[in-house]
Amino acid sequence: VQLVESGGGLVQAGGSLRLSCAASGGGFSSRYMAWFRQAPGKGPGWVSAINSGGGATYYADSVKGRFRISRDNAKNTLYLQMNSLKAEDTAVYFCAARPDTSRIRSYLGEYDYWGQGTQVTVSS
């Protein structure tokens, strides 16, 4: 399984970005997917997750109400719509995949695959 993120960039505080994660290698529609982010000098932090069918979504408290995760299984693509961005959202964002589950999985070690990431920089 390969995961390739795109959509990052430089945006002013209060702005929006939409990240995409294109999956290849099969099995996307049966996988639980998540977004993580890593700021300079820090470990990876969980942002959001979605189950295989898209009916269950989960968010870290820091992004709840501002970010929205979604997926298009026909296109093998995961999305993260980010609104009301803040300087503290600056990080490399990457997607991760694991077998489906009904529980929140917020530790990167619980995932089998992840991508290289896309840089998001929010200027204040």
Side-chain angles (χ1 to χ4, degrees):
V1 175
Q2 288 189 323
L3 303 173
V4 179
E5 302 87 348
S6 62
L10 174 64
V11 63
Q12 290 187 334
S16 298
L17 282 174
R18 188 194 195 202
L19 305 184
S20 298
C21 167
S24 60
F28 177 79
S29 62
S30 66
R31 297 187 188 275
Y32 182 97
M33 300 295 297
W35 287 98
F36 286 80
R37 65 186 181 185
Q38 187 164 13
K42 297 185 177 180
W46 175 73
V47 175
S48 181
I50 187 169
N51 71 344
S52 63
T57 57
Y58 312 94
Y59 298 91
D61 287 344
S62 60
V63 306
K64 199 171 294 182
R66 301 188 297 121
F67 290 11
R68 179 175 178 274
I69 191 171
S70 62
R71 65 191 297 161
D72 186 335
N73 286 344
K75 294 183 178 180
N76 292 334
T77 303
L78 175 73
Y79 303 100
L80 185 68
Q81 177 66 44
M82 306 187 297
N83 300 323
S84 302
L85 283 161
K86 305 175 181 179
E88 52 262 43
D89 294 319
T90 295
V92 173
Y93 286 70
F94 58 98
C95 56
R98 56 152 290 128
D100 203 16
T101 177
S102 59
R103 299 174 59 185
I104 295 176
R105 301 290 183 174
S106 59
Y107 173 54
L108 186 58
E110 299 176 289
Y111 291 78
D112 300 321
Y113 306 98
W114 52 88
Q116 292 296 312
T118 184
Q119 175 71 46
V120 171
T121 303
V122 184
S123 63
S124 57

